[in-house]
Coordinates of all heavy atoms in Angstrom, one line a residue:
M86 N -27.6 -8.8 31.4 CA -28.0 -9.2 30.0 C -26.8 -9.8 29.3 O -25.6 -9.4 29.5 CB -28.5 -8.0 29.3 CG -29.7 -7.4 29.8 SD -30.3 -6.0 28.8 CE -30.9 -6.9 27.4
I87 N -27.0 -10.7 28.4 CA -26.0 -11.3 27.6 C -25.4 -10.2 26.7 O -26.2 -9.5 26.0 CB -26.5 -12.5 26.8 CG1 -27.0 -13.6 27.7 CG2 -25.5 -13.0 25.8 CD1 -25.9 -14.2 28.5
P88 N -24.1 -10.0 26.7 CA -23.5 -8.9 26.0 C -23.3 -9.1 24.5 O -22.6 -8.4 23.8 CB -22.2 -8.7 26.7 CG -21.8 -10.0 27.1 CD -23.1 -10.7 27.5
V89 N -24.0 -10.1 23.9 CA -23.9 -10.3 22.5 C -25.3 -10.2 21.9 O -26.3 -10.9 22.4 CB -23.4 -11.7 22.2 CG1 -23.4 -12.0 20.7 CG2 -21.9 -11.8 22.7
A90 N -25.5 -9.4 20.9 CA -26.8 -9.2 20.2 C -26.8 -10.0 18.9 O -25.8 -10.4 18.4 CB -27.0 -7.7 20.0
A91 N -28.0 -10.1 18.3 CA -28.1 -10.8 17.0 C -27.3 -10.1 15.9 O -26.7 -10.8 15.1 CB -29.6 -10.8 16.6
N92 N -27.2 -8.8 16.0 CA -26.4 -8.1 14.9 C -24.9 -8.5 15.0 O -24.2 -8.5 14.1 CB -26.5 -6.6 15.0 CG -26.1 -6.0 16.3 OD1 -26.8 -6.0 17.3 ND2 -24.8 -5.6 16.4
D93 N -24.4 -8.8 16.3 CA -23.0 -9.2 16.4 C -22.8 -10.6 15.7 O -21.7 -10.7 15.0 CB -22.7 -9.4 17.9 CG -22.7 -8.1 18.7 OD1 -22.3 -7.1 18.1 OD2 -23.3 -8.1 19.8
V94 N -23.7 -11.5 15.8 CA -23.6 -12.8 15.2 C -23.6 -12.6 13.7 O -22.8 -13.2 12.9 CB -24.7 -13.8 15.6 CG1 -24.5 -15.1 14.9 CG2 -24.6 -13.9 17.2
A95 N -24.6 -11.8 13.2 CA -24.8 -11.6 11.8 C -23.5 -10.9 11.2 O -23.1 -11.3 10.1 CB -26.0 -10.7 11.5
F96 N -23.0 -10.0 11.9 CA -21.8 -9.3 11.4 C -20.6 -10.3 11.3 O -19.9 -10.3 10.3 CB -21.4 -8.2 12.4 CG -19.9 -7.7 12.1 CD1 -19.6 -6.9 11.0 CD2 -18.9 -8.0 13.0 CE1 -18.3 -6.5 10.8 CE2 -17.6 -7.6 12.8 CZ -17.3 -6.9 11.7
S97 N -20.4 -11.1 12.3 CA -19.3 -12.1 12.3 C -19.4 -13.0 11.1 O -18.4 -13.3 10.4 CB -19.3 -12.8 13.6 OG -19.0 -12.0 14.7
L98 N -20.6 -13.5 10.9 CA -20.8 -14.4 9.7 C -20.5 -13.8 8.4 O -19.8 -14.3 7.6 CB -22.3 -14.9 9.7 CG -22.7 -16.0 10.7 CD1 -24.2 -16.1 10.7 CD2 -22.1 -17.3 10.3
H99 N -21.0 -12.5 8.3 CA -20.7 -11.8 7.0 C -19.2 -11.5 6.9 O -18.7 -11.6 5.8 CB -21.6 -10.5 7.1 CG -21.4 -9.7 5.8 ND1 -20.5 -8.7 5.7 CD2 -22.1 -9.7 4.7 CE1 -20.6 -8.1 4.6 NE2 -21.5 -8.7 3.9
A100 N -18.6 -11.1 8.0 CA -17.2 -10.8 8.0 C -16.3 -11.9 7.5 O -15.4 -11.8 6.7 CB -16.7 -10.3 9.3
V101 N -16.6 -13.1 8.0 CA -15.8 -14.3 7.7 C -16.0 -14.6 6.2 O -15.0 -14.9 5.4 CB -16.2 -15.5 8.5 CG1 -15.6 -16.8 7.9 CG2 -15.8 -15.4 9.9
A102 N -17.2 -14.4 5.7 CA -17.5 -14.7 4.3 C -16.8 -13.7 3.4 O -16.2 -14.1 2.4 CB -19.0 -14.6 4.0
L103 N -16.9 -12.4 3.7 CA -16.3 -11.4 2.8 C -14.7 -11.4 2.9 O -14.1 -11.2 1.9 CB -16.8 -10.0 3.2 CG -18.0 -9.5 2.4 CD1 -17.6 -9.2 0.9 CD2 -19.1 -10.5 2.4
T104 N -14.2 -11.7 4.1 CA -12.7 -11.8 4.2 C -12.2 -13.0 3.4 O -11.2 -12.9 2.7 CB -12.3 -12.0 5.7 OG1 -12.8 -10.9 6.4 CG2 -10.8 -12.0 5.8
S105 N -13.0 -14.1 3.4 CA -12.7 -15.3 2.6 C -12.7 -14.9 1.1 O -11.8 -15.4 0.3 CB -13.6 -16.4 2.9 OG -13.6 -16.8 4.2
F106 N -13.7 -14.1 0.7 CA -13.8 -13.8 -0.7 C -12.6 -12.9 -1.1 O -12.1 -13.0 -2.2 CB -15.1 -13.1 -1.0 CG -15.3 -12.7 -2.5 CD1 -15.7 -13.7 -3.4 CD2 -15.1 -11.4 -2.9 CE1 -15.8 -13.4 -4.7 CE2 -15.3 -11.1 -4.3 CZ -15.6 -12.1 -5.2
T107 N -12.2 -12.0 -0.2 CA -11.1 -11.1 -0.5 C -9.8 -11.9 -0.7 O -8.9 -11.6 -1.5 CB -10.9 -10.0 0.6 OG1 -12.2 -9.3 0.8 CG2 -9.9 -9.0 0.2
L108 N -9.6 -12.9 0.2 CA -8.5 -13.8 0.1 C -8.5 -14.5 -1.3 O -7.4 -14.7 -1.9 CB -8.5 -14.8 1.2 CG -8.0 -14.3 2.6 CD1 -8.4 -15.3 3.7 CD2 -6.5 -14.0 2.6
Y109 N -9.7 -14.9 -1.7 CA -9.8 -15.5 -3.0 C -9.4 -14.6 -4.1 O -8.7 -15.0 -5.1 CB -11.3 -15.9 -3.3 CG -11.6 -16.3 -4.7 CD1 -11.1 -17.5 -5.2 CD2 -12.4 -15.5 -5.5 CE1 -11.4 -17.9 -6.5 CE2 -12.7 -15.8 -6.8 CZ -12.2 -17.0 -7.3 OH -12.5 -17.4 -8.6
Q110 N -9.7 -13.3 -4.0 CA -9.2 -12.3 -5.0 C -7.7 -12.2 -5.1 O -7.1 -12.0 -6.2 CB -9.8 -10.9 -4.7 CG -11.3 -10.7 -4.9 CD -11.7 -9.3 -4.6 OE1 -11.4 -8.7 -3.6 NE2 -12.5 -8.8 -5.6
V111 N -7.0 -12.5 -4.0 CA -5.6 -12.5 -4.0 C -5.0 -13.5 -4.9 O -4.0 -13.3 -5.6 CB -5.0 -12.7 -2.5 CG1 -3.5 -13.0 -2.6 CG2 -5.3 -11.6 -1.6
F112 N -5.7 -14.6 -5.1 CA -5.2 -15.7 -5.9 C -5.5 -15.5 -7.4 O -4.9 -16.0 -8.3 CB -5.8 -17.0 -5.5 CG -5.3 -17.5 -4.2 CD1 -6.0 -17.3 -3.0 CD2 -4.1 -18.2 -4.1 CE1 -5.5 -17.8 -1.8 CE2 -3.6 -18.7 -2.9 CZ -4.3 -18.4 -1.7
I113 N -6.5 -14.6 -7.7 CA -7.0 -14.5 -9.1 C -6.5 -13.2 -9.7 O -6.6 -13.0 -11.0 CB -8.5 -14.7 -9.3 CG1 -9.2 -13.5 -8.5 CG2 -8.9 -16.0 -8.8 CD1 -10.7 -13.6 -8.7
Y114 N -6.1 -12.2 -8.9 CA -5.7 -10.9 -9.5 C -4.2 -10.7 -9.3 O -3.5 -11.3 -8.6 CB -6.5 -9.8 -8.7 CG -8.0 -9.7 -9.0 CD1 -8.9 -9.4 -8.0 CD2 -8.5 -10.1 -10.3 CE1 -10.2 -9.3 -8.3 CE2 -9.8 -10.1 -10.5 CZ -10.7 -9.7 -9.5 OH -12.1 -9.7 -9.7
E115 N -3.7 -9.7 -10.1 CA -2.3 -9.3 -10.1 C -1.9 -8.9 -8.6 O -2.6 -8.1 -8.0 CB -2.1 -8.2 -11.0 CG -0.7 -7.6 -11.0 CD 0.4 -8.7 -11.2 OE1 0.2 -9.5 -12.2 OE2 1.3 -8.7 -10.5
R116 N -0.8 -9.5 -8.2 CA -0.4 -9.2 -6.8 C 1.1 -8.8 -6.7 O 1.7 -8.7 -5.7 CB -0.6 -10.4 -5.9 CG 0.0 -11.7 -6.3 CD -0.4 -12.8 -5.3 NE 0.2 -14.1 -5.7 CZ -0.4 -14.9 -6.5 NH1 -1.6 -14.6 -7.1 NH2 0.1 -16.1 -6.8
G117 N 1.7 -8.6 -7.9 CA 3.1 -8.2 -7.9 C 4.0 -9.2 -7.2 O 3.8 -10.4 -7.4
Q118 N 4.9 -8.7 -6.3 CA 5.8 -9.6 -5.6 C 5.3 -9.7 -4.1 O 6.1 -10.2 -3.3 CB 7.2 -9.0 -5.6 CG 7.8 -9.0 -7.0 CD 9.1 -8.3 -7.1 OE1 9.4 -7.4 -6.3 NE2 10.0 -8.7 -8.0
Q119 N 4.1 -9.3 -3.8 CA 3.6 -9.4 -2.5 C 3.3 -10.8 -2.1 O 2.9 -11.6 -2.9 CB 2.3 -8.5 -2.3 CG 2.5 -7.1 -2.5 CD 1.2 -6.3 -2.4 OE1 1.0 -5.4 -3.1 NE2 0.4 -6.7 -1.5
K120 N 3.5 -11.1 -0.8 CA 3.2 -12.4 -0.3 C 3.0 -12.4 1.2 O 3.3 -11.3 1.8 CB 4.4 -13.4 -0.6 CG 5.7 -13.0 0.0 CD 6.8 -14.0 -0.5 CE 8.2 -13.6 0.1 NZ 9.2 -14.5 -0.3
V121 N 2.5 -13.4 1.8 CA 2.3 -13.5 3.2 C 3.7 -13.7 3.9 O 4.4 -14.5 3.5 CB 1.3 -14.6 3.6 CG1 1.2 -14.7 5.1 CG2 0.0 -14.4 2.9
S122 N 3.9 -12.9 4.9 CA 5.2 -13.0 5.6 C 5.3 -14.2 6.5 O 4.3 -14.7 6.9 CB 5.5 -11.7 6.4 OG 4.6 -11.7 7.6
K123 N 6.6 -14.6 6.8 CA 6.8 -15.7 7.7 C 6.3 -15.4 9.1 O 5.9 -16.3 9.9 CB 8.3 -16.1 7.7 CG 8.8 -16.7 6.4 CD 10.2 -17.0 6.4 CE 10.7 -17.6 5.1 NZ 12.2 -18.0 5.2
V124 N 6.4 -14.1 9.5 CA 6.0 -13.7 10.8 C 4.5 -13.9 10.9 O 4.0 -14.4 11.9 CB 6.3 -12.2 11.0 CG1 5.7 -11.7 12.3 CG2 7.8 -12.0 11.1
C125 N 3.7 -13.5 9.9 CA 2.3 -13.7 9.9 C 1.9 -15.2 10.0 O 1.0 -15.6 10.7 CB 1.7 -13.1 8.7 SG -0.1 -13.3 8.5
I126 N 2.6 -16.0 9.2 CA 2.3 -17.4 9.2 C 2.6 -18.0 10.6 O 1.8 -18.8 11.1 CB 3.2 -18.1 8.2 CG1 2.8 -17.7 6.8 CG2 3.1 -19.7 8.3 CD1 3.7 -18.3 5.7

Side-chain angles (χ1 to χ4, degrees):
M86 298 182 68
I87 296 299
V89 174
N92 62 273
D93 294 319
V94 180
F96 165 73
S97 295
L98 282 168
H99 182 269
V101 170
L103 264 293
T104 303
S105 299
F106 184 77
T107 308
L108 283 168
Y109 168 71
Q110 288 184 313
V111 168
F112 290 96
I113 64 174
Y114 293 144
E115 174 57 47
R116 56 183 179 273
Q118 296 176 331
Q119 293 177 222
K120 59 183 180 180
V121 179
S122 71
K123 293 181 179 179
V124 173
C125 175
I126 294 174

